Structures are given as C-alpha cells and as structure tokens.
C-alpha cells in the first residue's frame, strides 16, 4: 500500500541566497523529496508557494496522504483560504510534517493555537546534538541513542507549543540552549509531527539521520487505510439503539 | 489576593426566547456571575456581544485574570480582531473557561486548532449524569463521585478536541450517548477549561454542583500572582553564560 | 513481516462455571486467538496460568512481540518473578494488550502505578455502547462511530488509571455509568493498550467489532522491526563528541 | 490553611563522605527543610531511613500532605511495606516531590511503572542550565527564563519515565547532554513532581532558584482542602438514579 506525499516548499531562499542555491541547486524541496522517492511505496510530488494556489489545489490535497512543510521568509504570503483547506484535510486524517522554520507557518500556528515562537541564533559553526527521548517510537526507528549535526542554526526554549503527545527528540546546542526538536500531536483524525533541523544554509537535508527521521515521520503521520469519518450534528432520541 | 473575572455572554437568546428569558430574567451572564460575586476574593464584571468591542476592550482584558465564555447563535458576529486580542491574552496567562455551546466559539476553535464539532439533541426531559474521572483535581473539589442534572441538552462524542491534559468529568445521557464534559488544556502560559452543561432553556446555572464547578474552574485557570513572561527572538552566542 | 503474539489466559472460570465453559468450550484464550490466527502475518500461541512458569518462560517471552492478558479469579497466583519478567520485556519494547478484568492483574497495576480499581455490576441484560473518541487512531480502524454489545458486565468510573496518552473508546451502560474502555500508554519502549469488554459469561469474544479492535490493538502495540535499545549509566566527559 | 510537609532523607552520605558532611553539617534534609520552615503556612518535619519504620509510620503519613524524597546509596534498604504505605497515601491524594537521585527510589519506580534509569557523570566543574519549558506553571512561579547551577552532577537522556503530564524544566550540561529536569504526573488523586538538581557534594540546596522551585513544587503537589474520596466496587442497577 502506497503513501502519497506532497513536499511543500516556500522556494524563495534559493533565488536570493547564493549559499542556499549552491547547497540545494534544485531547491530544498527536491533534496527532501529525493530520499523519499527511493522508497517504492512512497509516491512523492512537490508543490511550491509561487505555483497557482501554492500548488495545493483541492485536487492535490485530496490525493495527498502526507504533507511536509518548509517555509521561512514568506509565511504571510500563504493565502488564508489555502490554510483553511489544509487544516480541513488534516482534521480529516491527512498527516502533516512541519520542518524547521515551518514552526512559524500559518498552518502550524493554526493547528497549535499558540504563537509557536522561540529563541534563535545563526552561527557558522554551532553544533546540535539530538537526543532520543522516546525510544521505541516509530519516528526514531533505526536512530541511535543520539546524533550530531556539526553545523546548524540554534533554536532555544521556551518553544511556545501545546504540551506534545510525545517528545521523541530533545536537542542541545554548543551555546548551551535546549529545544524539543521532535514532537507529535493529534488534531481531529490527523497526526502532526514537528522536526527541527533544516536551516537553508547548511547541508542538513543530506544528513543520513535527518533523512531517516523524515522518512519515519512521513510513515507515522500517514492516515489509516480504512478510515471511518466521524459524524456530527443533530440526533433524535433512540437513533442508534434502533440499529 | 483577588481574581478579576469577566463573565462574557452573547446575550441574544434571552431577547427572542421566552423560556430563556423567564429562567434568566437578567440574562444568563448574571446567573453565572452572581454565585461568583458571593466570594469576596472574586472581583466579577460582565461583558456582552452587543457592547462596543463586545465589552472586551484592551483595557478590560488587561484587567481580566479569568474570562468565561458563553455563546451560541452569534459566534460569527464576534469580530476577528477581538478573538486575536483574547487569544493573545490567554497565551500571556489569562485563564479561559468555555461553557456549553461556547465549544463552537471562534476563540475556542482558535485555541484548540480543531473543528470542536459534536452530536447534539434537545429534549424536554433528558437526564445527564456527570461522573468524576479525575478525583483530586482542584476543579472537582467538593464534588461527589457523580452528580445528576435532571434536564439538559445532550452533547455526544466524537467531540473534536485535542486530547485533553486532564479529563475531569465524563457525562452519560438518558439516550445512551457519552461526552467528555470537563477537560483542561494549556496554551502558552494560559490555562483553559471546558465545562459542558448550560443550555439556555434549562435552569442549569442555578444547580449547586454546576455553580461549584464553575467557581473551582475560575480559581484553577487563574494565572500566577508572579508570572515571568517568556522571552523570544535572536540571542548572541554566550548571551546567558555571561550573566 | 510477522508479529509473534502470545495470548495469555488464566483459564480457571471455564473449569468451574458451566455458562463460561459452554460459551468457550476450548477456553477463552482459544476464542481470542482464533481470529488472530486467521491473519497470516500473526503468529499466535497461547499460555495459561497452570502451565510451568505460567507458560511465560524467558524463552517464550523472548519470542513474543505482543502479549495479551486476561485474568480475574487468580491474579494473586501469578508469581512476582514472572511479573518482573513481563515488565522488563514491556520496557524493552514488547507490546501488552490488557483485556477486561485484567485491569486488576499484577502486571497492569505494576505498569500503571495505581490501584486500577473501578465500579462494576453483573446483570443478565445490560447493554454497553462503545463510542469512538479518537477517530483516526489505528486501533479503531474499520470501527464505525460506535458499536453496541447487547449484554455485558458494567464497569464504571472512576477508573483509577494514569491519564491515558489516548482514549479511543468510552462506554455507556444501560444503568447510566460511563467508562474509558479503550486507552493507551507508553512505558519504556513498550506500548500498552487496555480494552474493556470480555466478561466470561457473555459471548463477547465472538463479536465482530471486538475481534477487530483486538486485532488492531495487537498490531498497534507491536514493537518496531528495528529497535535501538536505550543505553544508561556512567559516561565520561566528551564521550560522544569524540565519535 | 497550612500544608504539612515531611522531608524524607536517606541520611547516609553525610556519615561517610566528608565533602557532603561539610556542606550539609545537619544533613541534607535540614538544608531542604530550613527554607520551607521560613513560610508560616508550611508545617515541616523530617524523617530518615534509620529511624523506626524509616520515620514513616502510619501516623506520620496520615498527618502528611506532602512528602519530599531524597535517596541514593540505600534505596534497597527501604522496606517494601513502607513503600506500599506511601503509594497508598499518594493514591489517596498525598503529594510527592522526588528529588535528584530519588529517581531510582522504590517509591518512584513503583508509581512510574518504568526503570527510571538514565545516564550520569560526576565532575567537579560541570555546569547545568535549567530552561523553563512551561511558563505559567505554578512550579516555576518567580523563576526567570532559565537559571544556571555552576557545579552539578550530569544526568542525561534517555530518562526512562512515562511521558510527563507537564515538563516544566529541561537542562543542558557543559558536556552536551540534556535532561527533563522538572516533570509532573498524576497517580490516583495524588500529584507527583520530579526535580533533578541536588547532588550530595555540591551546595545545590542553598541555591535561591532551587529553593524557590522546591517551595513551589511543595505547594503545587499539595492535596485539596476538601477532597472527596473516590468510591469503587459493586453497584446494583439503579443505585444512583434513585438518589
């Protein structure tokens, strides 16, 4: 059984930032999508901000089991109507994987109900260590006790999110800050995961552990094969005992 | 130390529904506020939809520790700018107690990130039994094992809310449905509680157990006396170890 | 990839209770195991209290991915050393599905840390309705909005368990009580589910919905194919950055 | 209204470790108790391992609202019967604050259901930074964004605990490890908090932030003034509607 994945990307940094363009010549979305495409049961497409309807037409979303989201500079340019559409699909069961600076996206703030704010710092040589805090969780399958990313942007607590259902990774940074880097929530019938690393000027999406976590997360947030849609609204007395 | 409570009410049913007006001649907000006013440490005011800014000016919210919310017919008439303002205050620590049909209010949906939909039925003689499912929680202080409301509207699962941090009451109805009638969440520094009973054509807000739960919930969602606001944004390397 | 399931059963009621023996001539464990055996990827064995080491030798447990547990009359006869052994395997990742009166088993109380006590009533004709409260959860895959069991024992709240990670089913009973009938927790690397129905004098384990939930739960609590065991203990400064 | 606190201490290191004895000449329990005694509404006594029944007689526990627990070398010498007694009181509503190496105590493992294991390192000059991850939680009232302890033992993840209800502090250490240093759970009617710092050879219990967190935690885990004990057991049909 296959999982239909749409890798959504803002795709703006590559056009104005030489370091980013050099690292990700086809765009970060292609770097995220490529290792997923290596799995025959994952059917992967991409969508970007500047496409009509940001590439997220009703048809595309109807055919999407899992949506991944990377944005940073242009969160405000995402149309509210598209955010409504994505939220509705998540509540119906579509999985959502929010990456790095996607923490400030309209869709993540919409689903969390909070500001999703944090502390941050961009240094050329700051090291991030990600510690597994929920061994046995499917998203950390195949990940050792911890893993190190030599150079990454720092994100620091307080991260203004609702208490996660599971926190599967916590990071420390050279500078001494900590961050809940891997978290999950449920909204309606949809599963949501957040995964922190992925700054646009570092080769993070080529890291083997990062690729593995993203693949695992895509599989974990994917909806059920046989999903019974919940029903709502007015019910007469005796409606169900009569069945 | 006193808690400043603002009882917000839509205040529309009373004007068009004779049964409601007879039960609550001064409006449901006054019935909700009166037993709170009996406690000297609770400083209570009311605010209603048709006042300027729905009675929720920046000044009023700045002086509000706990906001209670009842709405039903006119959720859509609440201005988005006021919803933004209330959400911001909750994230800063203001407590929010959502009552009955307030489940479909803009502010509750905004903070939950879900549809907040449910099943419902209005009968003249349906009985609700509320069972305590978290003894020891401050919101059920003084409440026995369970309590009965002889006549209430039915709300049935699935209630589309994020998994609560605590579920302190679960109801059964004569018709056989169940409902998570007492739940809590945290958003930012703010505590949120939902409490189900309170249909406009029943004398629910005169019930001793209902009054007790509302008083307890107001006290529990109230913010800390000495709250340290979280800080966000850019930090230079070494910013804190230098302290 | 197959899941190795051990269906553990106390197997005492069948020997003293004619109604139970008539309903379950081969024992309740065989009724629980049979529909699981219909799935080629589930490799099912049974184990019972009166076997040596209760059928749960170190070898059997080492080869068990998921253990299901039904007990009632003889919880105290389960040896503490076997409980220790099962707990250790759960923390290492073995799934555990606790059924009905297994709520009072030593292993469930050990993993919960609470009394696991509840209210109960045995009537010949009490109806149970189970409402789905977490649509989209893998354990309710294929289950409609709710399902009815015509005759079951009543279990009522307060059910003394830690706040579940997910509550996927809540029951109402003819008598008016409610119960959190489907719940999950994580302990160490192991997933735990509780599923309420299954009194020994009713044909519950032949019910299609009950069989489906049990199959789903077995699959959901199953451990990862590639699990990295957590490591503990003393670490020298610089142990990991040196890698 | 006063809170009756019993500060329990193993009280063995002071007798064999000169560094510990010099730092805590009256024992660590007196250092923990002294700042609590400064508050007139906290009625504080101490109890230690080598007293009869470890100082935790039925009478003492019946008069205890909140128990704090520090142990390390002699967890195994705590009698199981006393652990049973403490657990029973927690389920009835007594608050429990587990400190530092108390993570490996029988009572904490009993209530968690897990191994409570972790990584550790003892260095003379390792720095711990504790970051507030749940601003607005009563336990961090008056605590800034973060605080630093210049010298402490390192505890590192994976910390084998059930997913906390709230995680209010996460630590980073000079060596790069992270740890969930402030967590809460509910068991029965009792609230439980864990607070990490407090190695016996460092002056941690004289630190102003540590003292403040301990005072806050004692107040937060304290039981309700008016607690309704849950009821369990057999109920006849119609038992409650007849009320």
């Amino acid at each position: 059984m296959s999982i239909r994945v749409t890798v959504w990307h803002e795709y703006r940094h590559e056009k104005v930032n030489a370091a980013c363009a050099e690292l990700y010549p086809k765009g970060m979305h292609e770097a995220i999508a490529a290792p997923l495409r290596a799995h025959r049961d994952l059917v992967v497409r991409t969508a970007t901000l500047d496409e009509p309807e940001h590439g997220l037409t009703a048809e595309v979303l109807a055919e999407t089991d899992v949506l991944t989201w990377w944005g940073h500079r242009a969160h405000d340019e995402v149309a509210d109507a598209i955010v409504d559409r994505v939220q509705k699909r998540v509540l119906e069961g579509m999985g959502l994987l929010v990456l790095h600076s996607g923490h400030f996206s309209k869709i993540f703030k919409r689903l969390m109900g909070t500001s999703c704010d944090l502390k941050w710092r961009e240094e050329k040589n700051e090291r991030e260590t990600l510690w597994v805090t929920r061994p046995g969780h499917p998203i950390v399958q195949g990940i050792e006790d911890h893993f190190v990313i030599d150079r990454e942007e720092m994100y620091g607590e307080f991260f203004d999110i609702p208490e996660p259902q599971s926190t599967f990774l916590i990071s420390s940074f050279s500078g001494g800050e900590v961050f809940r880097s891997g978290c999950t929530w449920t909204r309606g019938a949809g599963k949501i995961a957040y995964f922190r690393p992925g700054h646009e000027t570092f080769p993070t999406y080529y890291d083997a552990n990062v690729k593995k976590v993203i693949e695992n997360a895509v599989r974990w947030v994917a909806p059920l094969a046989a999903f019974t849609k919940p029903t709502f609204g007015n019910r007469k007395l005796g409606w169900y005992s009569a069945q």
Side-chain angles (χ1 to χ4, degrees), chain A:
Chain A
M1 199 168 48
S2 60
I3 299 172
R4 299 164 301 174
V5 185
T6 299
V7 173
W8 192 88
H9 184 45
E10 189 181 278
Y11 201 19
R12 290 279 179 87
H13 287 273
E14 293 87 340
K15 297 165 183 172
V16 296
N17 182 326
C20 178
E22 189 171 349
L23 273 168
Y24 298 107
K26 294 178 183 172
M28 297 174 77
H29 50 307
E30 290 300 330
I32 294 166
L36 298 174
R37 288 200 177 101
H39 299 276
R40 295 187 61 175
D41 63 330
L42 302 182
V43 180
V44 183
R45 69 167 108 195
T46 64
T48 55
L49 179 64
D50 292 327
E51 296 175 46
E53 304 186 43
H54 314 322
L56 299 174
T57 62
E59 292 70 28
V60 166
L61 284 176
E63 293 169 358
T64 297
D65 296 315
V66 174
L67 180 67
T68 75
W69 195 278
W70 197 104
H72 186 201
R73 300 167 62 97
H75 291 311
D76 286 348
E77 296 182 40
V78 176
D80 288 339
I82 304 297
V83 177
D84 293 346
R85 190 185 282 167
V86 173
Q87 179 184 22
K88 186 167 174 293
R89 279 287 294 140
V90 169
L91 300 183
E92 291 170 2
M94 184 181 75
L96 179 69
L97 171 59
V98 175
L99 297 168
H100 190 63
S101 44
H103 76 89
F104 248 176
S105 62
K106 286 184 177 178
I107 183 62
F108 190 58
K109 291 194 286 187
R110 177 79 66 86
L111 289 161
M112 295 293 105
T114 57
S115 75
C116 301
D117 210 344
L118 45 75
K119 299 184 182 74
W120 60 274
R121 174 175 57 243
E122 199 182 332
E123 295 277 334
K124 292 230 178 314
N125 55 359
E126 185 145 10
R127 188 191 64 184
E128 175 177 13
T129 307
L130 298 101
W131 299 89
V132 172
T133 50
R134 185 49 55 211
H137 195 291
I139 298 186
V140 292
Q141 175 158 248
I143 300 296
E144 299 297 317
D145 180 77
H146 64 276
F147 63 98
V148 176
I149 302 178
D150 285 334
R151 295 175 298 150
E152 249 296 342
E153 186 183 9
M154 182 283 289
Y155 278 7
E157 295 279 348
F158 170 59
F159 183 21
D160 183 15
I161 48 173
E163 201 76 34
Q165 196 158 22
S166 292
T167 301
F168 57 89
L169 287 168
I170 298 179
S171 294
S172 68
F173 293 88
S174 309
E177 287 91 350
V178 298
F179 197 76
R180 288 168 289 175
S181 287
C183 303
T184 69
W185 301 265
T186 302
R187 290 291 179 272
K191 297 194 200 76
I192 301 166
Y194 175 78
F195 181 45
R196 198 211 77 83
H199 191 58
E200 68 270 9
T201 59
F202 296 117
T204 301
Y205 289 117
Y206 300 115
D207 180 275
N209 284 302
V210 169
K211 289 191 287 187
K212 184 65 180 161
V213 170
I214 291 174
E215 182 208 334
N216 288 342
V218 162
R219 294 183 186 284
W220 186 79
V221 299
L224 303 180
F227 171 57
T228 304
K229 206 171 162 178
T231 61
F232 301 110
N234 190 219
R235 293 291 182 283
K236 293 186 179 170
L237 202 60
W239 67 282
Y240 80 89
S241 58
Q243 292 180 329

